[in-house]
Amino acid sequence: MSVPETAAKPVSRRGSSTADPARVFASIDFGRERAVIAAVSGGSDSLALLFLLKDHLSRIDKAPALIAVTVDHGLRPQSADEAVAVAELCRSHGIVHRILRWEGRKPNTGIPAAAREARYRLLVDAARRAGAGLIFTGHTRDDQIETFLMRRARGDGRGLAGMANLTLLDGAVWLLRPLLETRRDDLRAFLSERRIAWFDDPTNENMAFERPRIRSRASGAEAGVILEEIAARAAERSARGMAAAGFLSAGGVHLEPGDAIAIDAGRLADAGQDVAGLALGVLVALVGGRSFLPGEAERERLFVHLAQEDSAPRLSLGGCIVQRGARRHRIWREARGLPDVTLAPGACAVWDGRYRIANSFSGYASIRITAPTAAEFNMFCEQKGLERRDFHRAAALTGPAVHAGGSILDIPALTGGRFLPAGLAVTRYVALYDKVLPGHDLALANAAVRLIGRDLYPEPPTLLNML
């Protein structure tokens, strides 16, 4: 099955003035890139993105290589043929193309979310293999409005900032959405002018899914109002994130030996509920290894708890213990639900959402990572000459201990990993941001990793502010 270079069907020709490569990519710096990835499904949005990107790169000296990638999710009988047709279209225009398939069993529920996660994983893998630092997707103004309406229906306050122009995936590859201000009709007019056809995915009309239901109710007359609200919400989210980042970086928050977070009580009170509540939410997610912030109500409850001297001194929230103090509050990981992981040579895993462990150590068949018992902790400190009073004991007992050959090699939260043999790497991991980091939150994420002594996230590839 191939895609003929004729229009798939009549489309509105209201003009394609917003589908102008010079405008669409004006803020993006391609200078440091060896290759870029365009995610192309065969639909109108992604095909328009591909040809706009091709046009733009053709005008750049020493432009990066363009690689189109189609992810075949295997959810419809036609998907494999459509992926091949996109490959043929790309070949006819001299564009390198790859087909990636989502293998394995598919979930019975939550298919759109699972498919999106699989798609981004495959795209990141493709980018790494190609040495590409940028992935482009064809999300449009229409998609942005639909996303806002879905999130509003779910009461997702922070999500009302909409999709970010830039999102960092796996802490390494930037995903860019340069068409968020472009209408789908304009993209289809652009394709029609080029006599390039597209596929219409029937799931976009399937009312069993949330997005088609929202799309059917969205009113064009409301679009301007909604876009203004999205812009205001995005600005508010970025500004609040910057303020919370400033609080985390101002010296009132510290990581204590053993992995407890200490917070100056006076500075927290002075910061105010909005800023302090967001900062506390990030700290709870960081310490608890969670990939999501506590809800707004939970963050408010936590701030109020720390402000009230007559409340119980300890609170359990998000897998953490939060202890109120007169001068200093502390947060550490709760001692339950801690994983027990065995890693074979060559394997890598994230432990408890807080540490990434890579095993390239040939001295043992496998290593085991689990929290130390109190006896193991005491023995390790004695053997290594560590003073137990120098560490927050309750927090240290929830960190990973690396076992091999029946003994503990190291407890990195105590030592920084200095007793690990060559070939074993234990690094801090931030579940909240390391997998998906929206550009709205970059400043806040950098403040969080700076707090735990880790390198900052990569700078976005922008000439102007796209965040």
Side-chain angles (χ1 to χ4, degrees), residues 229-280:
E229 182 170 355
I230 292 171
R233 296 271 191 169
E236 178 187 2
R237 176 165 167 171
S238 295
R240 189 171 293 182
M242 291 283 287
F247 171 77
L248 292 176
S249 304
V253 182
H254 302 281
L255 180 67
E256 295 184 331
D259 262 11
I261 295 286
I263 307 165
D264 184 280
R267 292 193 184 190
L268 184 74
D270 292 343
Q273 183 170 313
D274 284 349
V275 172
L278 178 56
L280 287 169

Side-chain angles (χ1 to χ4, degrees), residues 97-140:
H97 182 267
R98 303 280 185 269
I99 297 175
L100 305 178
R101 291 181 173 84
W102 181 20
E103 305 287 359
R105 296 183 60 183
K106 309 302 188 289
N108 295 323
T109 59
I111 290 176
R116 181 172 58 252
E117 181 175 347
R119 180 166 61 252
Y120 287 163
R121 172 176 53 80
L122 291 168
L123 288 169
V124 168
D125 288 345
R128 284 178 165 154
R129 287 196 298 271
L134 306 180
I135 298 170
F136 289 85
T137 65
H139 294 99
T140 66

Side-chain angles (χ1 to χ4, degrees), residues 1 28 93 124 153 159 224 248 272 301 382 397 409 417 461:
M1 178 180 179
I28 300 170
H93 286 271
V124 168
L248 292 176
R301 179 166 68 96
E382 290 174 7
L397 288 170
L409 301 178

Side-chain angles (χ1 to χ4, degrees), residues 175-187:
L175 181 145
L176 287 80
R177 304 179 179 96
L179 301 179
L180 287 180
E181 296 180 3
T182 305
R183 299 175 304 180
R184 180 169 292 122
D185 280 356
D186 288 349
L187 295 175

